[in-house]
Amino acid sequence: MAQAACSRVIQVPLAPVGLSVLLPPQGAATGVYPELLRQVGEADGCLFAMSAVPRARQELMFESGRSDVLVPASRTPRRDEFGDFVPLIQARAMMISLRSDRVLPSSLRALAQASELRVVLVRGFDYGDAYQALLKELGRQGRLRLEVDPVSVARVLDAGGADLTVMAPSILASALYADERVSHLLGRLRLDAAEELGWNDSGVYLSRAALGEADRRHLQESLDKAARSGLVWKLFKQFYPAGSMEGSLRPKY
């Protein structure tokens, strides 16, 4: 770039997250967030180097200071220890199962006590303290299965290997849209709210260990501007099919 505002190339490891982050076997990353970073970079003079990694490794790289950006990410106390958060949208996780007449718990606390229910989650996803407590308790009871991405979770549900999952419905729905192996499940999803899972900010973490203060401040201002201008929500509407975000995603501003 002729006059880059960032002092160096910004390192962004990415894991597939529905239509928010698509990582084709050949070619560049696409989806909401890769496109957002490209447009922000072009407008404000920063170059982002995006690479594909599993979600759990993406989280570990951020915590150990080996990456500059964690995206997408919901805000959690643990992540706040390692980086500065920039809210871009609001999202909420829900309990998701395949449609049935079964009575399901109304809270994560009750789910932890429902010993007959098996749960599958994406390794590295985090929806706050109540979610982490559930993960720990289910693991202790032997009722937890961890998978690498939302498509793998969908395949486990389809095969009867678990009864439900917990994640943002837009993430799972977009994964189903994008993968023909599980697209037949789109009309069969059942969404149940959990008392502990309300609307939360979702967006980008900027590493305090890896990024210098000037770069961090510049990126924070650029990404905040993108959210407030409507660009972020415009990209979500561009990539997500109509109706797939209802009830689980909304603009931050």
Side-chain angles (χ1 to χ4, degrees):
M1 294 196 172
Q3 190 173 6
C6 291
S7 66
R8 60 172 175 81
V9 175
I10 306 302
Q11 300 298 320
V12 187
L14 293 170
V17 183
L19 299 175
S20 293
V21 178
L22 292 162
L23 301 172
Q26 304 293 330
T30 186
V32 175
Y33 289 103
E35 184 59 30
L36 172 65
L37 294 179
R38 289 191 188 98
Q39 293 195 27
V40 166
E42 291 171 3
D44 294 330
C46 292
L47 184 62
F48 297 92
M50 304 179 215
S51 56
V53 299
R55 178 68 190 191
R57 187 184 305 168
Q58 181 190 30
E59 193 89 24
L60 287 172
M61 291 176 70
F62 173 71
E63 292 183 0
S64 62
R66 291 181 289 131
S67 69
D68 297 321
V69 177
L70 178 66
V71 60
S74 54
R75 186 166 196 176
T76 67
R78 177 168 179 79
R79 290 171 178 159
D80 283 342
E81 297 176 17
F82 304 100
D84 295 340
F85 181 70
V86 185
L88 300 178
I89 60 166
Q90 291 194 316
R92 67 171 177 175
M94 302 181 76
M95 294 184 290
I96 308 175
S97 58
L98 299 184
R99 193 170 295 158
S100 71
D101 296 328
R102 173 188 290 175
V103 177
L104 293 178
S106 60
S107 68
L108 300 186
R109 183 176 59 256
L111 175 58
Q113 299 170 354
S115 59
E116 75 282 4
L117 296 177
R118 300 158 299 158
V119 180
V120 57
L121 303 174
V122 176
R123 189 184 304 274
F125 275 19
D126 189 350
Y127 296 105
D129 291 345
Y131 178 90
Q132 288 296 326
L134 173 70
L135 190 154
K136 184 176 181 179
E137 178 60 22
L138 292 176
R140 187 189 68 80
Q141 295 179 25
R143 295 167 49 208
L144 176 64
R145 179 166 176 171
L146 293 172
E147 293 291 336
V148 296
D149 55 36
V151 168
S152 300
V153 165
R155 297 182 74 181
V156 170
L157 292 173
D158 192 29
D163 299 296
L164 60 88
T165 187
V166 178
M167 71 174 77
S170 57
I171 292 177
L172 186 58
S174 62
L176 301 185
Y177 273 108
D179 195 308
E180 62 182 12
R181 294 173 299 176
V182 288
S183 59
H184 63 281
L185 299 179
L186 274 169
R188 296 178 56 197
L189 296 184
R190 169 180 167 176
L191 310 180
D192 290 272
E195 292 174 6
E196 301 93 337
L197 299 176
W199 288 98
N200 291 301
D201 289 337
S202 180
V204 177
Y205 270 97
L206 305 174
S207 171
R208 286 193 294 270
L211 285 168
E213 184 178 352
D215 283 343
R216 200 166 65 248
R217 187 186 308 116
H218 177 70
L219 291 170
Q220 191 166 14
E221 292 172 355
S222 298
L223 291 164
D224 182 69
K225 178 182 177 182
R228 293 180 184 276
S229 70
L231 172 60
V232 174
W233 192 242
K234 178 183 176 181
L235 289 171
F236 269 94
K237 291 193 292 184
Q238 174 183 324
F239 280 94
Y240 279 75
S244 65
M245 299 183 293
E246 292 178 7
S248 65
L249 285 178
R250 67 188 185 189
K252 169 63 178 176
Y253 302 106

